[in-house]
């Protein structure tokens, strides 16, 4: 029963996380959505929910690696998972701050001043905006690579490639977030259709 529940949660999360990310990216392209208001709040709420759904995806990817590998390999997989979860926490904190600033501001000027005050707090800028969120993508990519190499691989080579392409696209221009979300959906699609071996690995 737990295995089935985990499998269903993984399936929903593997689709829901990129879908909510795409929703955020789409809303962000609407004029006025980058100022305090409904668009800002709706978009960032969608992104926050999407990031939360990446947690079960990360755990599922780690479980794919559990049945195989040496002690060193398992340590590396745990390190990748820990890195991704730390980065995910930083990303959630960033979006949470963005939500708060949007709700607490009446105008774009107020929003800019409040952002400046928050980001002037020592450590916030590197931990929450610069370095911290990058760890999520590094750890996620490492887990995808580990699950797609070797004789006992459970994912295909294109999963980490699509994830990398999507990450590069969104880093190049935030307008490409919907495209990045489509790449992420493709990368995680094997988790939505577990074969018998994959289902056993997720148990």
């Amino acid at each position: 029963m737990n295995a089935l529940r985990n499998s269903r949660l993984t399936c929903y999360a593997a689709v829901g996380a990129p879908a909510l990310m795409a929703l955020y990216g789409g809303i962000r392209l609407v004029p006025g959505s980058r100022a305090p208001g409904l668009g800002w709040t709706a978009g960032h709420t969608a992104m926050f929910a999407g990031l939360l759904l990446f947690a079960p995806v990360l755990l599922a990817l780690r479980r794919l690696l559990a049945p195989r590998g040496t002690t060193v390999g398992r340590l590396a997989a745990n390190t990748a998972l820990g890195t991704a979860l730390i980065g995910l926490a930083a990303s959630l904190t960033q979006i949470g701050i963005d939500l708060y600033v949007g709700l607490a501001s009446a105008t774009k000027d107020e929003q800019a001043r409040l952002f400046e005050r928050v980001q002037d707090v020592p450590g916030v800028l590197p931990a929450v905006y610069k370095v911290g969120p990058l760890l999520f993508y590094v750890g996620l990519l490492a887990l995808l690579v580990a699950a797609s190499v070797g004789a006992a691989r459970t994912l295909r080579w294109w999963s980490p490639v699509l994830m990398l392409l999507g990450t590069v696209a969104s880093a190049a221009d935030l307008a490409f977030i919907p495209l990045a979300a489509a790449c992420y959906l493709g990368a995680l699609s094997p988790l939505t259709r577990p074969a018998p071996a994959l289902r056993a690995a997720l148990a």
Side-chain angles (χ1 to χ4, degrees):
M1 180 64 70
N2 287 336
L4 181 58
R5 187 179 300 113
N6 287 337
S7 180
R8 285 177 176 172
L9 176 59
T10 299
C11 178
Y12 296 148
V15 174
L20 288 167
M21 180 180 174
L23 178 59
Y24 163 71
I27 292 174
R28 193 178 179 279
L29 297 176
V30 176
S33 63
R34 301 183 199 179
L38 179 60
W40 178 276
T41 302
H44 283 79
T45 299
M47 188 62 175
F48 191 90
L51 286 171
L52 282 177
L53 286 178
F54 271 106
V57 169
L58 293 173
L59 295 175
L61 288 172
R62 177 61 188 92
R63 287 195 296 272
L64 287 179
L65 305 176
R68 59 188 173 91
T70 62
T71 300
V72 173
R74 288 191 291 272
L75 179 60
N78 287 336
T79 300
L81 175 61
T83 299
L85 289 174
I86 290 171
L88 181 59
S91 298
L92 286 167
T93 302
Q94 179 188 141
I95 297 299
I97 291 172
D98 292 353
L99 267 171
Y100 166 75
V101 169
L103 291 170
S105 305
T107 67
K108 197 166 180 62
D109 288 340
E110 287 183 16
Q111 183 185 42
R113 287 193 295 270
L114 188 50
F115 265 129
E116 187 175 349
R117 288 207 303 271
V118 171
Q119 294 175 2
D120 279 345
V121 175
V124 168
L125 199 58
V128 178
Y129 284 90
K130 298 292 186 180
V131 179
L134 293 177
L135 299 178
F136 166 61
Y137 299 101
V138 171
L140 175 56
L141 184 61
L143 288 170
L144 286 169
V145 169
S148 61
V149 299
R153 62 183 179 273
T154 49
L155 298 180
R156 302 295 296 276
W157 61 270
W158 41 262
S159 282
V161 171
L162 283 174
M163 185 64 65
L164 180 60
L165 287 175
T167 302
V168 170
S170 61
D173 193 327
L174 294 180
F176 293 142
I177 288 178
L179 173 62
C183 290
Y184 290 2
L185 180 61
L188 300 176
S189 62
L191 297 179
T192 69
R193 299 185 302 273
L198 181 58
R199 185 178 291 111
L202 289 172

